[in-house]
Amino acid sequence: MAIPPPFRYLCHTSSRHRSIKVNRMNYHVDIGQTRYRFPDLKTLMAKATPLRSGDCLAGIAAENATERAAAQHCLAEVPLRQFLNEALIPYEQDEVTRLILDTHDAAAFTPVAHLTVGDFRDWLLSDHASRESLSALAPGLTPEMVAAVSKIMRIQDLILVAQKAEVVTRFRNTIGLSGRMSTRLQPNHPTDDPAGVAASVLDGLLYANGDAVIGINPATDNYHAVTRLMHLLDDVIQRYEIPTQSCVLTHVTTHLEAINRGAPVDLVFQSIAGTQAANDSFGISLSILDEAHKAALELGRGTVGQNVMYFETGQGSALSANAYHGVDQQTCETRAYAVARRFDPLLVNTVVGFIGPEYLYDGKQIIRAGLEDHFCGKLLGLPMGCDICYTNHAEADQDDMDMLLTQLGVAGINFIMGIPGSDDIMLNYQTTSFHDALYVREVLNKPPAPEFAAWLEKMGIFGKDNRLASGSTLPPSFAHLQDRL
């Protein structure tokens, strides 16, 4: 992408050897009479990142809008190949960096290997970037490449490109088909009370939620409490023959214990981050995730597929653990997707506003971050969902979340959250409700996963038009519960 005066960019590659992973370029750009210099690619990426409070907190953000624009112009001229030569976090120090570089698919990268970051943006927005070509390209892209191009894209660019990408996964149903949207039914309870959880599950199912997963954040990691919830969800799914999967979002090591002791584990969950040090703070490593993935596959509980992992991420997680290595929070987030991609997950959920205003200050920053995460994950071949949320001390409200919900619906989000009244009474944050999913289904014509939609019609929850059936009583299959409510 040629940059006319006064934006004149000079860039020279050093002669240092590729295997050292530190082949540096000379990053600078002239704007008027001022030359902006960036000592390395890591600094350039941070300065080019659209404003967010986390990078300001870390002291790595651009000093002003002019420096940010200069960095973005400079970044646009960086060859994509440079991200294979200059690791943002040293190869020798970080197993996520090693994973990214050691598993890079050079053949898949070939169609865009000659492009700069700016050229890549143009290619993504062109008709050359089709569903098929994006799927074939995904193994050839690194997280840093897609993070870089996202930094020079507008909101509409992020939406346009993401909606071209289709990432389909399967366990007991088919998630991610174009023109459909799934939901995680999140029946959290502050004391893990089985009756309270069961009531929320029923409520969600009657509003057609739960085809992505029925997933509980337990109030404790206690093994017996966690497995009690696993059995509860499994009993509901088996009794009503629901084509969906369950997950209790406990630590991966608790999942391993549950599998070894015969508990009904559908999906293995873990929060992940984009640096080894941040994952260390979570008590995980790639080897632990490998062990859990293998154990879940051996159970063979899926009926239409065997995508058995569920990961959650969030911008700011590495910074909050002081494990970011001077890398901006959006790039750290995208590096977490390399960890997820290794395990071919069913679901990846960016919990975009949950960490708080220290990292994403207001609704504008949360909206931008949610769309970036979805775009980057989809380009890397991941089944992206989003917890469209904010904490009560953030400068955001439900109108902001409605905007992000609508934009992600247009962008082709695989799944969103469904929570009674949009208020999680256990985690104490605001997210999307059962009704919010119905809004997207109505205005964007986004039915749930096909197997789940057929079940909803069979159970009398949906009519033949993929809308909730009307009536003053429970559907016949649930009528026996009327007296208990």
Side-chain angles (χ1 to χ4, degrees):
M1 184 171 75
I3 300 176
F7 304 110
R8 187 167 288 110
Y9 171 73
L10 301 174
C11 184
H12 304 283
T13 305
S14 77
S15 61
R16 300 185 69 176
H17 193 268
R18 161 71 173 86
S19 64
I20 303 175
K21 310 289 192 299
V22 290
N23 297 342
R24 300 198 188 282
M25 301 175 73
N26 181 18
Y27 306 104
H28 65 262
V29 63
D30 296 329
I31 298 183
Q33 300 303 309
T34 303
R35 171 161 289 187
Y36 291 87
R37 296 182 182 275
F38 309 97
D40 52 33
L41 188 55
K42 175 170 63 177
T43 303
L44 178 62
M45 292 275 281
K47 300 293 187 183
T49 302
L51 179 65
R52 59 209 58 198
S53 53
D55 293 336
C56 295
L57 178 66
I60 59 175
E63 293 185 6
N64 51 52
T66 305
E67 185 183 29
R68 183 173 302 108
Q72 289 170 341
H73 276 284
C74 197
L75 182 61
E77 292 293 337
V78 174
L80 290 180
R81 286 189 182 276
Q82 182 62 15
F83 294 95
L84 301 175
N85 296 328
E86 186 177 346
L88 304 191
I89 301 174
Y91 181 92
E92 296 79 10
Q93 297 178 16
D94 187 89
E95 71 172 0
V96 179
T97 299
R98 294 194 290 275
L99 171 67
I100 291 168
L101 294 177
D102 292 349
T103 61
H104 179 252
D105 188 330
F109 181 53
T110 299
V112 298
H114 61 291
L115 299 179
T116 65
V117 173
D119 294 332
F120 185 41
R121 172 188 177 273
D122 294 342
W123 184 89
L124 288 169
L125 293 171
S126 76
D127 291 338
H128 295 293
S130 64
R131 182 182 304 172
E132 295 75 20
S133 63
L134 289 173
S135 177
L137 178 64
L141 297 176
T142 69
E144 292 84 355
M145 292 175 191
V146 299
V149 75
S150 76
K151 296 178 192 299
I152 62 170
M153 299 185 89
R154 294 171 56 187
I155 292 292
Q156 65 174 257
D157 298 340
L158 298 172
I159 293 171
L160 174 62
V161 176
Q163 63 84 30
K164 297 182 187 183
E166 182 183 67
V167 182
V168 178
T169 55
R170 296 174 175 86
F171 189 77
R172 291 199 185 102
N173 57 24
T174 306
I175 301 169
L177 292 169
S178 180
R180 295 180 179 267
M181 185 190 75
S182 296
T183 55
R184 169 188 163 189
L185 199 172
Q186 186 169 312
N188 294 349
H189 192 277
T191 63
D192 291 338
D193 176 63
V197 170
S200 290
V201 170
L202 175 61
D203 191 21
L205 290 173
L206 293 177
Y207 280 107
N209 277 244
D211 53 329
V213 65
I214 304 176
I216 302 174
N217 296 89
T220 174
D221 252 353
N222 175 274
Y223 171 80
H224 296 291
V226 165
T227 52
R228 182 168 62 246
L229 293 173
M230 288 178 176
H231 282 286
L232 168 63
L233 296 183
D234 188 60
D235 288 346
V236 170
I237 289 172
Q238 299 304 323
R239 174 168 183 171
Y240 294 101
E241 299 179 325
I242 309 172
T244 191
Q245 37 283 329
S246 67
C247 185
V248 179
L249 281 67
T250 186
H251 194 269
V252 64
T253 55
T254 307
H255 276 289
L256 275 169
E257 182 181 2
I259 290 172
N260 291 334
R261 295 170 66 171
V265 174
D266 286 346
L267 305 182
V268 170
F269 168 81
Q270 183 56 50
S271 294
I272 55 175
T275 73
Q276 179 178 337
N279 286 326
D280 287 345
S281 75
F282 293 161
I284 63 167
S285 64
L286 294 179
S287 61
I288 291 174
L289 294 175
D290 275 330
E291 181 183 356
H293 182 230
K294 180 180 178 181
L297 285 174
E298 289 176 350
L299 295 176
R301 291 175 60 87
T303 55
V304 298
Q306 293 298 326
N307 300 112
V308 296
M309 303 296 283
Y310 174 16
F311 294 116
E312 287 193 344
T313 66
Q315 288 195 29
S317 59
L319 175 58
S320 67
N322 195 27
Y324 63 105
H325 297 271
V327 176
D328 68 272
Q329 68 179 39
Q330 189 248 340
T331 301
C332 282
E333 166 73 5
T334 308
R335 283 169 54 92
Y337 303 156
V339 177
R341 182 165 63 174
R342 175 184 176 95
F343 300 101
D344 198 17
L346 183 76
L347 307 167
V348 178
N349 178 30
T350 169
V351 191
V352 67
F354 181 73
I355 301 182
E358 299 84 359
Y359 307 96
L360 295 169
Y361 178 72
D362 57 16
K364 182 175 182 178
Q365 292 186 14
I366 292 171
I367 289 169
R368 170 87 196 186
L371 292 168
E372 287 170 347
D373 294 350
H374 178 248
F375 164 88
C376 291
K378 281 289 187 70
L379 281 191
L380 292 170
L382 289 176
M384 292 302 296
C386 183
D387 193 341
I388 302 162
C389 64
Y390 63 100
T391 57
N392 290 320
H393 61 309
E395 291 294 322
D397 59 26
Q398 206 60 46
D399 285 343
D400 297 312
M401 300 305 103
D402 285 349
M403 286 189 283
L404 180 54
L405 170 64
T406 304
Q407 291 166 338
L408 284 171
V410 174
I413 191 80
N414 278 32
F415 67 100
I416 63 170
M417 305 299 107
I419 293 177
S422 79
D423 183 11
D424 191 308
I425 59 174
M426 195 278 281
L427 293 174
N428 196 28
Y429 77 114
Q430 309 304 310
T431 181
T432 44
S433 70
F434 300 147
H435 300 78
D436 291 327
L438 295 177
Y439 150 73
V440 176
R441 300 204 191 289
E442 178 74 18
V443 300
L444 297 178
N445 188 26
K446 295 272 189 175
E451 301 90 343
F452 193 76
W455 178 84
L456 291 170
E457 184 177 340
K458 172 186 172 183
M459 301 298 282
I461 298 171
F462 261 11
K464 293 186 179 299
D465 56 358
N466 276 333
R467 295 185 178 183
L468 287 180
S470 60
S472 58
T473 60
L474 291 177
S477 298
F478 299 96
H480 65 285
L481 300 173
Q482 188 78 45
D483 295 337
R484 302 185 187 181
L485 301 178

